[in-house]
Amino acid sequence: MPVVHGEGDGTPHTEVSMEDYGITGARVDLEVVVDMPQGRLWDLVTAVHRVSEWSPECEHTALLDGGEGPITVGTRFEGRNRREGRVWTVNCVVTEVEHQRSFAWLVLDRAADPERPSSSWRYDLEPGDLPGQTLVRHSFVHGPGHSGLREMIHSHPEIAPIILDVRLEELRKHMTETLDAMTAASV
């Protein structure tokens, strides 16, 4: 049974202690080879201020804390998303930057605790089999933190598996569309 807790900012949220309907750790993994050199693709996946140009869900991104330089571990950015008439803004923090290889970030919930993120995202890039190709591994993992998905499932626990499956499939589709748009836009 869900238990309501405060998040430190006076905003209540629903959290499940033991049973969380399979939300925490739910993931989407995408692996694809793209016809683009690794260095060029790296420049695009780390251009967080441009994500809204390619994503079907994210409509705006901006670096926070006056960030203007290169993306490094600790860089913070925000994204405004739109889905099915719902609009929400999230704050993110970069957790890994290995030049031309790995880029990862957390989506923080309102409590902003990086130990309990709403989700984590990453890109891992490797040379493809042919010159000018890059093997991309892109992943999403739902965290233990608060999220809209968690709210929806807690409001309708009787159909939790369906809600989770639909959202994960939607994320897979959006991740694919974003990568396709990103690589097409750079040609």
Side-chain angles (χ1 to χ4, degrees), residues 91-152:
N91 287 330
C92 305
V93 62
V94 174
T95 57
E96 185 177 343
V97 178
E98 183 182 341
H99 188 68
Q100 294 190 17
R101 303 277 305 166
S102 299
F103 178 59
W105 68 96
L106 299 175
V107 176
L108 303 174
D109 68 8
R110 287 171 280 209
D113 180 355
E115 297 297 316
R116 294 185 51 78
S118 175
S119 60
S120 58
W121 294 79
R122 75 179 293 119
Y123 282 98
D124 290 300
L125 309 178
E126 294 179 18
D129 290 338
L130 300 174
Q133 289 185 332
T134 303
L135 172 65
V136 181
R137 290 185 182 93
H138 185 25
S139 63
F140 160 89
V141 180
H142 201 287
H146 182 70
S147 69
L149 175 62
R150 198 172 289 281
E151 284 178 12
M152 184 180 296

Side-chain angles (χ1 to χ4, degrees), residues 3 53 84 119 160:
V3 179
E53 295 175 34
E84 298 177 354
S119 60

Side-chain angles (χ1 to χ4, degrees), residues 35-86:
D35 290 323
M36 180 175 285
Q38 191 170 339
R40 177 65 184 133
L41 186 57
W42 172 261
D43 291 342
L44 295 171
V45 300
T46 58
V48 297
H49 63 284
R50 294 188 62 195
V51 172
S52 61
E53 295 175 34
W54 309 306
S55 170
E57 191 167 302
C58 178
E59 63 180 22
H60 174 76
T61 52
L63 294 173
L64 299 173
D65 304 328
E68 305 243 349
I71 301 293
T72 59
V73 171
T75 297
R76 293 174 5 101
F77 62 96
E78 75 174 12
R80 186 177 62 237
N81 301 316
R82 179 180 300 275
R83 179 178 170 264
E84 298 177 354
R86 182 174 170 252

Side-chain angles (χ1 to χ4, degrees), residues 28 30 121 138-139 171-179:
V28 175
L30 180 66
W121 294 79
H138 185 25
S139 63
L171 284 168
R172 175 180 303 286
K173 180 178 181 271
H174 288 178
M175 290 161 67
T176 301
E177 289 174 4
T178 299
L179 189 57

